[in-house]
Amino acid sequence: MLNQSGPSPTIVTFANVNKFYGSFQALSNITLSVTAGEVVVLIGASGSGKSTLIRCVNGLETYQDGSLVVDGFSMPTMEDLDFGGAKALNQVRRGVGMVFQQFNLFPHKTVLENITLAPMRVRRKSRAEAEAIGLRLLERVGLGNQAQKYPGQLSGGQQQRVAIARSLAMEPHVMLFDEPTSALDPELVGEVLDVMRELRNDGMTMMIVTHEMAFAREVADRVIYMDRGAIVEVGQPEQIFDEPRNERTRTFLSRVLKH
């Protein structure tokens, strides 16, 4: 973890980060800091750069210029990776958990095996230790009796909760959520959001991309509205949702909140 004094060390710092896909600019001059224990929720239309931003945090996407520091490590730019600068990337991934839209569970492995695989291979934990952690985390996400089932035997909401437990098994310092409920049937969304609420209450640092506006208002310390690859507005939930200052934010919210 970061070796900084004070109650709220900075976990993630973007400084003028730009990301391109060919001539298309996906991220434009992103400057943002996230402190330990903070919950930052990113909202905006599809294609606005939200997912790209959080995927840069664990190196699933690289950027061309600017700087990004995660958990005390400078994330390599695309050019750095070309010259072998992947060491920081591997270090960061040990401390950053990510939950995707799709569950990405191994269908041929049990729920418990899915959770214990990374701790055993990456953190070199014994099978007994990894299984003890896995069982504890399954209880935490309300699936203590599902350890020996296979993913295909579970509902979508249960599979997503397993995916959260799998990320937590690596003892991350920050959790990234990329629209974790968008692939779920509406009646299953609540059980996943409940787990995320518990993580917030436990003080987990989180960056969340979501279209669940009521949930964003409830759990966020700060809400970030993005449009066309740029951060347009940042504020506390009540300010963003009740008194947005930017016209683009107002237009977006007027469209999504009436549905």
Side-chain angles (χ1 to χ4, degrees):
M1 207 161 185
L2 284 173
N3 184 20
Q4 295 184 12
S5 60
S8 299
T10 301
I11 298 292
V12 178
T13 303
F14 286 83
N16 299 311
V17 167
N18 292 285
K19 161 74 177 174
F20 294 86
Y21 296 108
S23 60
F24 174 73
Q25 187 164 9
L27 295 177
S28 178
N29 294 316
I30 298 297
T31 296
L32 170 69
S33 293
V34 180
T35 58
E38 186 177 20
V39 177
V40 173
V41 176
L42 295 93
I43 64 172
S46 297
S48 60
K50 310 180 302 296
S51 295
T52 301
L53 188 152
I54 67 166
R55 286 168 68 91
C56 284
V57 174
N58 70 346
L60 287 175
E61 298 283 357
T62 53
Y63 58 100
Q64 277 83 1
D65 60 63
S67 70
L68 172 57
V69 178
V70 180
D71 217 11
F73 295 94
S74 293
M75 295 294 283
T77 64
M78 193 172 293
E79 183 178 2
D80 293 332
L81 283 179
D82 290 339
F83 288 94
K87 185 175 180 180
L89 196 57
N90 293 330
Q91 290 289 342
V92 165
R93 284 176 174 166
R94 289 170 175 252
V96 178
M98 186 156 186
V99 178
F100 302 88
Q101 297 178 36
Q102 304 300 326
F103 322 123
N104 298 326
L105 300 174
F106 293 110
H108 61 290
K109 292 186 178 293
T110 66
V111 164
L112 187 58
E113 287 171 338
N114 268 279
I115 295 172
T116 58
L117 187 63
M120 290 169 61
R121 289 192 177 180
V122 178
R123 294 207 176 269
R124 305 300 183 189
K125 293 186 181 295
S126 68
R127 180 177 298 276
E129 186 180 6
E131 288 184 349
I133 292 170
L135 291 170
R136 174 175 55 81
L137 289 171
L138 283 173
E139 289 288 348
R140 184 177 181 183
V141 300
L143 296 172
N145 60 345
Q146 307 293 327
Q148 299 308 319
K149 289 188 177 180
Y150 290 88
Q153 296 174 287
L154 304 180
S155 70
Q158 289 173 322
Q159 290 186 62
Q160 191 63 294
R161 284 187 279 159
V162 172
I164 293 173
R166 178 183 57 187
S167 290
L168 292 174
M170 289 295 287
E171 301 172 338
H173 303 152
V174 58
M175 286 282 287
L176 311 175
F177 293 87
D178 189 4
E179 298 188 19
T181 61
S182 64
L184 300 178
D185 293 332
E187 66 270 18
L188 302 177
V189 169
E191 63 192 58
V192 174
L193 297 183
D194 284 344
V195 172
M196 295 171 67
R197 288 184 182 97
E198 290 181 14
L199 290 177
R200 183 201 191 286
N201 293 338
D202 290 342
M204 174 63 73
T205 309
M206 296 192 285
M207 298 180 70
I208 303 169
V209 173
T210 185
H211 291 292
E212 302 283 344
M213 296 298 152
F215 176 71
R217 178 192 284 266
E218 175 190 350
V219 303
D221 294 302
R222 283 187 296 158
V223 175
I224 295 173
Y225 170 64
M226 292 188 66
D227 187 33
R228 287 175 260 176
I231 293 175
V232 174
E233 189 166 354
V234 182
Q236 294 182 337
E238 55 271 21
Q239 182 262 302
I240 293 293
F241 288 108
D242 297 336
E243 298 180 359
R245 299 187 179 104
N246 189 283
E247 180 59 35
R248 282 191 280 172
T249 313
R250 288 194 290 271
T251 299
F252 170 77
L253 289 173
S254 68
R255 187 168 66 247
V256 300
L257 292 178
K258 67 183 179 182
H259 292 295

